[in-house]
Amino acid sequence: MEFNQITWTNETLIKAIKLLLSKTFDLREGEYKRAFLMQLNIFLIISTLLIVKPAVTGLFIGQFGVESLPLAFVVVAVFATILSFFYSYRLGKTSFFTLIRRTNIFSISILMLFGTMLSFHILESWVIYIFYIWVALFAVVSASQFWILANLVFNPREAKRLFGFIGAGAIAGGIFGGYLTSLLAPLIGSEKLLFVSALLIWFCIPITRNIWRENISGKASPQISKKETQRIEESPFRLILKSKHLTYLAGIIGISVIVARLVDYQFNALASLKIQDPDELTAFFGFWFSNFNLISLIIQLFITRRVVGVFGIGTSLFFLPAAVFIGAVMVIFLPSLFSAIIIKMSDASLKQSINKSAVELLALPIPAEIKSKTKTFIDVFVDSVATGIGGIILVLIINWFKLSIPYISIMIIITIGIWFYFAMNVRKEYIKSFQVKIKQVSGSKDAKPLNLSNESVISGLKRVLETGNEKQILWVLQKSREKPNEKLFNSITKLLDNPSGAIRAEALRNLYFYRQKPISEKVSPFITDPIQEVRIAAFEYLLEHNRENSVELMKQFLENPDYKVSGAALISLAGEVRNNPELKKQYELRLLITQKIEDLKNENDPELVVFKMQVLLEAIGRGCMSGHFGFIENGFKSENPEIVERSIKAAGLSMAPEFIDSLISFVGKPHFSAVAKTALIQYGVEILTFLQPLLDDENYKEIHLKIPSIAENISSQQSVGFLFGMLESENALARQEALNSLNNLKIKFPFLHFDKKMVIRRILDEAKLIQDTLSVLYIQTKLEKINQSKPEYQENLALSEARKSLINLLEKRLDSGLERIFKLLGLKFNTEEILSAYISFQSTKPDIRNSSIEFLDNLLDNKLKRVLIPILETTILETISEEALNNLHIHIPNEMECYNMLLEGNDIKIKLAVLFLISHSGSKEFIPLVNKYRNNRNQKVKDFAEKAFLALSE
């Protein structure tokens, strides 16, 4: 009994601790061991550093004086530079884990050696100087190796949540090491502390081995293995220069180190003026370093995760330089030890909390193989160079110009200005890194408008016109037609000899607009081209560029014995005289078409009849020949699909209101739907007035899903309002199509306005629907799992199948809800970028999905971020747990609440599935719920409710 009680108490305690960690740091199942081992590892490393750093600083200042520090910074820089290149070389030859292990073993040996030599006063001055240099190198190498390891162990989303918790271990190590130093230094002497440090580093070896075995080398995922095994031969220096992201990251680290060295000197100098004894100075440094870390720990525990999560990485980078700026101003106007403590506190507390988390997160989008090659190089080489620069600045200020300590603050303020510049730019590159990653997955490219005033753009277009494939050439021709440029004239003219009829026709349509460069003689032969579209384009060109004798020219071709030539002439003429009644009379176009219609009655060749009818239909449509509209109406009734299709096109070309009803009816016919929609688009914005009443008409139910694709091609603000109105439809598929069309509309016509407040409201509505769906899905899945163990449930196959059907529908609703959220986000932000993010979110690869979420996390404003990011993180979980729902603050309903919630919704299919499930449940408690829907306005819902009521009443 006592044993069971103890076990229950332990389980309760563990559960309470997990709940506390979950609430405070958002730790989740499966992450506790990894996170604690990593936290313990960095705790030991930083404890060691905070023991040896005060010790060596106190010994160094006591031996050489504070004025020797600037030169020591320069010497550190030289040795660190050599080390960084050696380390980079070894990284290309040795596994990363082996390097960490060897670094730890070497560090233990060095600490034992220096501890022994200092205890026995062997070459004391030289040992102190060399030891000072080694401590500086140990600080950057060990910390850098740890954070690279953390980047391998955690993905970007985990890192963003857990780096704060892990960083708390580093700060706790600083507190422990600092206070231990202040306590032991006066008792056993600074040199004896090195043996304590060696012991702490020894514990890191088995911890690192365990982390590596269970989270990297022990994982079957080829993705993790690839991170370690892939090698890049290029030097880290070149890799950094090639990447703006790495360059700005290196800049931030370098500037922060320069500032830290200047702050360090101010703090050490003012402290050494007050405290003369080396051991007392070591104790002072240990005490204050611990205080700084205590403040840093408080910030890390209660502020860092919220700051980074709410403000984002970019804004978080400004906290440290802003605080140091305030401290620097204080030192200028109040140069005392108190001011030095304040500026050092600003640097030390924020550097290891908010700034550390933000800087380490900046490295997440960098590929692992590049990161392992460059991260330590940046941390060591850049840190060392920056240390040297800081030392040179101090030598100039203190030794050369003999300026007082407050002048250092002026240099700090100037350097902080550069820091701000790097921080602003690195955020852009950070987001761009995720953009590039998700665009690589989606295959999308930035669609930038052509800048035809740019010579390099013109040269590129010419190359495409001369050497590109058909698709590329047609794209350039269509784009250049929007804004003709004389520099492309010769390249386009050469395309008249291209074997592709589509290219020849498009080239003629382009040349049509070059009125100052007539080439009628070259175009004339194309009126006999084998391709009808080329012939028509040639006639259009000749009519435009030969206006003085166009009547004689066209009459000649209209009477040409070749029916293909005369047909092309008729079509092009009809389009030219459409809005000119005088020209219609001059050409006697109506009489000519009447005569050709009469001639059809005497034509015996079926193929020729079809061709001539198609020519006449297009001519009537292009010329809007209202007197012959009956010919188009007869074409609608033809048994030949080609004639019907050409009649539909002709009706669209005419834009006559009398054809609208017929065209709408064709939209509902699968074979003619596409051509009918294209015809309706020809009418422009006016067609929306005719389509609006159809949305509420059950007789036109079959075309509701096809209406949005018409509106998306009409460049008008009314199209936006029309499609937003469709989002109110009870038909879920119609809402989805309307949302798709809104995104397409925004891409095609970016100048249109989309009400951002309305979009946000709909996003929040969709988010609430997803939360409800997650809670219901959890309950239904849980019920299915529980009931599977019951014999009576297994016998009731209908009930089991009904529940599985409902679960399947809920999963589909969850997927469609997520798609709608992304599509709505596409109306507020860059549509193509959001589409790429959605495609990446659907990936089966966890790192791609996490990149998508991370991209959104940096893009969204705080209101949307707080709602959407937790939902997205929950939906990618393999199973939905009660813990996950609690993290989302979602109420978990009972079974009755589930069904009531679903029946009150708009999804008809889910309503029917719920009623069907209830009808097989045999539970009479659902009778009042079912009874509410027996008189529903939807006949199907009404019928299913009636059947459920009868089944439960038996």
Side-chain angles (χ1 to χ4, degrees):
M1 183 71 177
E2 290 181 4
F3 175 77
N4 291 336
Q5 188 174 6
I6 292 170
T7 303
W8 181 84
T9 304
N10 288 339
E11 288 178 355
T12 304
L13 180 61
I14 292 170
K15 192 172 182 180
I17 292 171
K18 284 186 174 182
L19 180 62
L20 177 64
L21 291 171
S22 174
K23 294 292 184 184
T24 308
F25 293 104
D26 199 12
L27 262 73
R28 300 172 185 177
E29 285 296 332
E31 297 174 347
Y32 293 105
K33 185 177 180 180
R34 277 187 295 159
F36 273 109
L37 283 176
M38 290 296 289
Q39 188 187 63
L40 178 59
N41 201 353
I42 192 65
F43 171 86
L44 293 171
I45 292 170
I46 301 301
S47 293
T48 301
L49 182 61
L50 263 291
I51 291 172
V52 297
K53 189 175 180 181
V56 74
T57 303
L59 289 169
F60 186 93
I61 293 174
Q63 184 73 28
F64 301 104
V66 72
E67 63 276 2
S68 298
L69 279 176
L71 184 59
F73 291 164
V74 177
V75 175
V76 167
V78 173
F79 278 93
T81 302
I82 296 170
L83 174 64
S84 64
F85 282 100
F86 174 75
Y87 185 91
S88 177
Y89 170 77
R90 293 307 309 164
L91 189 60
K93 307 292 182 183
T94 312
S95 78
F96 184 60
F97 170 69
T98 303
L99 275 179
I100 296 177
R101 184 167 54 84
R102 289 178 180 175
T103 300
N104 287 336
I105 293 171
F106 181 74
S107 299
I108 293 169
S109 304
I110 287 291
L111 287 167
M112 297 290 288
L113 176 63
F114 285 162
T116 303
M117 294 181 76
L118 289 173
S119 297
F120 292 99
H121 305 287
I122 302 171
L123 301 174
E124 190 169 21
S125 296
W126 281 98
V127 169
I128 290 173
Y129 209 103
I130 295 170
F131 186 46
Y132 183 88
I133 295 169
W134 179 85
V135 169
L137 299 179
F138 169 77
V140 291
V141 171
S142 59
S144 177
Q145 286 181 336
F146 172 82
W147 287 110
I148 291 175
L149 180 64
N151 271 247
L152 294 173
V153 172
F154 301 104
N155 65 46
R157 298 306 305 159
E158 292 171 335
K160 201 160 191 176
R161 288 186 291 102
L162 301 178
F163 274 10
F165 175 73
I166 293 167
I171 298 165
I175 296 170
F176 173 78
Y179 282 138
L180 186 65
T181 299
S182 63
L183 178 67
L184 294 181
L187 297 176
I188 64 175
S190 301
E191 61 277 358
K192 300 295 190 302
L193 293 173
L194 274 60
F195 297 105
V196 177
S197 301
L199 179 64
L200 294 178
I201 288 293
W202 182 84
F203 285 115
C204 290
I205 296 174
I207 294 171
T208 304
R209 186 188 301 117
N210 184 280
I211 292 168
W212 189 269
R213 184 179 62 249
E214 293 193 9
N215 298 286
I216 301 177
S217 64
K219 283 194 174 182
S221 170
Q223 211 168 3
I224 299 293
S225 302
K226 188 177 179 183
K227 287 181 179 182
E228 166 59 12
T229 58
Q230 199 166 1
R231 303 285 179 203
I232 290 182
E233 297 301 325
E234 198 166 1
S235 72
F237 190 72
R238 289 180 63 84
L239 289 171
I240 293 168
L241 290 180
K242 284 168 63 175
S243 167
K244 285 186 178 180
H245 188 159
L246 285 170
T247 302
Y248 289 132
L249 178 59
I252 283 180
I253 291 173
I255 289 295
S256 66
V257 169
I258 292 173
V259 170
R261 293 296 168 265
L262 300 179
V263 169
D264 261 348
Y265 183 84
Q266 284 186 324
F267 179 68
N268 292 333
L270 291 171
S272 64
L273 290 175
K274 297 286 184 181
I275 304 169
Q276 305 297 323
D277 182 78
D279 287 335
E280 287 184 17
L281 193 59
T282 297
F284 171 82
F285 287 143
F287 174 75
W288 275 106
F289 285 164
S290 294
N291 289 340
F292 298 152
N293 279 283
L294 181 61
I295 296 168
S296 188
L297 180 63
I298 294 170
I299 294 171
Q300 189 77 344
L301 288 174
F302 303 107
I303 300 175
T304 295
R305 190 168 68 87
R306 290 170 176 81
V307 167
V308 176
V310 173
F311 293 102
I313 292 170
T315 305
S316 303
L317 291 169
F318 290 96
F319 278 72
L320 174 57
V324 174
F325 175 84
I326 294 170
V329 172
M330 285 186 64
V331 173
I332 292 173
F333 294 102
L334 185 65
S336 63
L337 182 57
F338 172 76
S339 298
I341 290 172
I342 294 297
I343 191 172
K344 181 63 179 176
M345 184 190 303
S346 301
D347 180 64
S349 60
L350 292 174
K351 192 169 189 175
Q352 294 304 321
S353 54
I354 294 174
N355 196 72
K356 186 65 176 177
S357 294
V359 169
E360 293 304 328
L361 287 168
L362 282 176
L364 285 171
I366 302 167
E369 62 275 9
I370 295 178
K371 191 185 310 180
S372 63
K373 185 100 175 177
T374 58
K375 183 68 167 61
T376 302
F377 184 83
I378 290 174
D379 289 340
V380 178
F381 177 74
V382 173
D383 187 289
S384 62
V385 170
T387 297
I389 293 172
I392 292 169
I393 291 171
L394 288 170
V395 167
L396 292 174
I397 292 175
I398 303 298
N399 299 338
W400 190 285
F401 295 110
K402 306 295 183 182
L403 298 175
S404 59
I405 292 173
Y407 282 94
I408 297 174
S409 286
I410 297 174
M411 183 55 67
I412 290 174
I413 292 170
I414 293 170
T415 312
I416 285 173
I418 303 172
W419 193 339
F420 281 138
Y421 169 79
F422 284 131
M424 286 187 290
N425 282 280
V426 78
R427 181 186 180 274
K428 297 175 186 176
E429 294 302 318
Y430 175 81
I431 297 174
K432 192 183 293 183
S433 296
F434 287 105
Q435 286 176 322
V436 169
K437 193 167 187 177
I438 63 179
K439 283 179 181 178
Q440 286 173 344
V441 176
S442 65
S444 65
K445 297 179 180 178
D446 289 327
K448 296 179 181 178
L450 293 177
N451 180 10
L452 295 178
S453 62
N454 190 312
E455 286 297 327
S456 62
V457 173
I458 294 293
S459 298
L461 295 179
K462 285 180 179 180
R463 282 195 299 273
V464 173
L465 293 174
E466 291 167 7
T467 62
N469 58 39
E470 183 179 39
K471 186 176 180 181
Q472 292 169 335
I473 292 171
L474 287 173
W475 183 85
V476 171
L477 288 172
Q478 288 161 3
K479 286 293 181 183
S480 60
R481 184 148 55 99
E482 296 170 5
K483 191 176 181 181
N485 189 293
E486 290 189 359
K487 294 176 182 178
L488 297 175
F489 177 80
N490 291 333
S491 297
I492 295 172
T493 303
K494 291 177 183 178
L495 292 175
L496 295 178
D497 299 323
N498 195 284
S500 167
I503 289 177
R504 294 198 302 275
E506 192 60 44
L508 284 167
R509 294 189 191 104
N510 268 262
L511 294 170
Y512 177 95
F513 295 100
Y514 292 90
R515 292 180 175 83
Q516 304 303 318
K517 295 191 174 188
I519 52 170
S520 298
E521 297 80 6
K522 189 171 180 63
V523 172
S524 293
F526 288 96
I527 61 177
T528 58
D529 193 276
I531 305 298
Q532 177 79 340
E533 287 300 313
V534 177
R535 293 195 295 268
I536 293 170
F539 275 117
E540 289 173 347
Y541 180 92
L542 293 172
L543 278 170
E544 175 63 24
H545 292 268
N546 295 276
R547 291 195 173 276
E548 63 281 355
N549 59 351
S550 60
V551 176
E552 292 77 11
L553 180 71
M554 289 308 297
K555 282 185 177 181
Q556 175 188 346
F557 288 116
L558 288 169
E559 296 168 4
N560 193 293
D562 186 339
Y563 63 90
K564 292 182 179 179
V565 173
S566 60
L570 180 63
I571 291 171
S572 59
L573 177 63
E576 286 291 321
V577 303
R578 175 188 179 101
N579 298 316
N580 194 324
E582 291 300 320
L583 280 179
K584 283 183 180 180
K585 288 181 182 179
Q586 190 173 359
Y587 283 107
E588 298 179 325
L589 189 59
R590 181 174 181 180
L591 183 61
L592 181 61
I593 291 176
T594 301
Q595 183 61 49
K596 288 186 177 292
I597 291 173
E598 288 296 321
D599 291 343
L600 277 177
K601 297 175 182 178
N602 301 320
E603 186 61 62
N604 297 320
D605 186 343
E607 290 186 9
L608 197 55
V609 169
V610 170
F611 178 82
K612 289 184 175 181
M613 283 188 70
Q614 289 176 332
V615 168
L616 287 167
L617 285 166
E618 187 165 351
I620 293 168
R622 283 199 182 206
C624 195
M625 309 297 293
S626 56
H628 294 291
F629 281 172
F631 190 77
I632 294 177
E633 290 172 354
N634 289 333
F636 290 155
K637 304 168 188 175
S638 174
E639 295 181 1
N640 186 328
E642 290 184 34
I643 297 300
V644 177
E645 190 171 306
R646 189 57 63 95
S647 300
I648 293 170
K649 287 181 179 178
L653 289 169
S654 73
M655 293 187 285
E658 50 262 55
F659 292 127
I660 290 177
D661 288 340
S662 297
L663 292 175
I664 288 173
S665 67
F666 279 116
V667 171
K669 298 177 181 179
H671 187 75
F672 301 111
S673 181
V675 68
K677 287 191 292 184
T678 302
L680 288 170
I681 291 166
Q682 301 279 346
Y683 284 81
V685 71
E686 287 78 11
I687 197 62
L688 299 178
T689 307
F690 291 89
L691 295 174
Q692 185 68 55
L694 307 183
L695 296 175
D696 299 319
D697 194 333
E698 288 294 319
N699 296 322
Y700 290 92
K701 191 175 181 180
E702 71 280 0
I703 72 165
H704 285 176
L705 300 183
K706 297 173 182 178
I707 288 177
S709 60
I710 297 172
E712 75 177 49
N713 287 285
I714 298 172
S715 173
S716 170
Q717 196 62 43
Q718 286 179 246
S719 298
V720 179
F722 179 86
L723 290 169
F724 264 115
M726 284 196 70
L727 295 179
E728 303 293 343
S729 172
E730 291 186 357
N731 187 328
L733 291 176
R735 294 198 301 271
Q736 191 71 42
E737 288 300 320
L739 195 48
N740 292 339
S741 291
L742 278 167
N743 277 257
N744 294 336
L745 188 70
K746 187 168 182 280
I747 291 172
K748 292 173 184 175
F749 312 110
F751 53 84
L752 295 176
H753 172 70
F754 294 79
D755 190 332
K756 299 294 191 294
K757 289 183 179 179
M758 186 185 296
V759 170
I760 291 173
R761 187 169 67 250
R762 290 194 173 278
I763 290 172
L764 296 177
D765 289 343
E766 290 292 344
K768 178 64 169 64
L769 182 61
I770 286 180
Q771 289 177 332
D772 291 343
T773 305
L774 285 169
S775 64
V776 174
L777 188 57
Y778 168 73
I779 291 297
Q780 291 302 312
T781 305
K782 185 178 179 181
L783 287 171
E784 177 67 15
K785 190 174 180 180
I786 292 171
N787 291 333
Q788 284 292 341
S789 60
K790 298 178 181 178
E792 64 273 16
Y793 185 80
Q794 293 179 355
E795 293 174 5
N796 192 346
L797 292 177
L799 177 59
S800 177
E801 289 301 318
R803 195 180 302 281
K804 288 177 181 177
S805 176
L806 177 59
I807 289 172
N808 184 49
L809 285 173
L810 289 170
E811 288 174 342
K812 288 181 178 177
R813 184 165 90 167
L814 192 61
D815 292 338
S816 60
L818 289 168
E819 182 180 355
R820 285 194 297 274
I821 281 180
F822 274 93
K823 292 291 175 66
L824 286 164
L825 288 171
L827 301 180
K828 177 174 170 58
F829 302 101
N830 183 292
T831 308
E832 291 176 324
E833 288 182 356
I834 295 296
L835 177 60
S836 297
Y838 176 59
I839 293 171
S840 297
F841 183 75
Q842 292 177 300
S843 172
T844 57
K845 298 178 180 179
D847 65 320
I848 300 298
R849 291 201 302 267
N850 288 321
S851 292
S852 174
I853 298 174
E854 184 63 20
F855 168 70
L856 291 178
D857 200 2
N858 286 277
L859 180 69
L860 303 180
D861 54 52
N862 292 335
K863 184 177 182 181
L864 289 176
K865 186 190 301 186
R866 284 196 303 269
V867 175
L868 295 184
I869 297 301
I871 288 176
L872 295 176
E873 290 180 327
T874 302
T875 55
I876 64 175
L877 298 174
E878 291 183 6
T879 56
I880 301 169
S881 63
E882 184 173 346
E883 180 188 7
L885 295 179
N886 288 333
N887 288 334
L888 287 174
H889 307 291
I890 295 176
H891 167 67
I892 301 176
N894 57 37
E895 189 175 9
M896 177 69 79
E897 289 174 325
C898 281
Y899 298 147
N900 189 49
M901 190 188 305
L902 295 175
L903 288 170
E904 287 179 350
N906 292 326
D907 196 315
I908 300 298
K909 286 185 178 180
I910 285 183
K911 285 184 179 182
L912 299 180
V914 169
L915 291 170
F916 185 72
L917 174 61
I918 289 174
S919 69
H920 287 87
S921 68
S923 179
K924 295 185 182 295
E925 66 174 319
F926 297 127
I927 291 178
L929 179 62
V930 170
N931 199 40
K932 290 165 55 178
Y933 294 90
R934 292 172 66 193
N935 293 313
N936 193 272
R937 63 176 185 172
N938 186 287
Q939 188 61 44
K940 284 188 176 181
V941 173
K942 182 178 178 181
D943 293 342
F944 271 67
E946 187 63 33
K947 289 178 183 177
F949 179 78
L950 293 173
L952 296 176
S953 299
E954 291 178 356

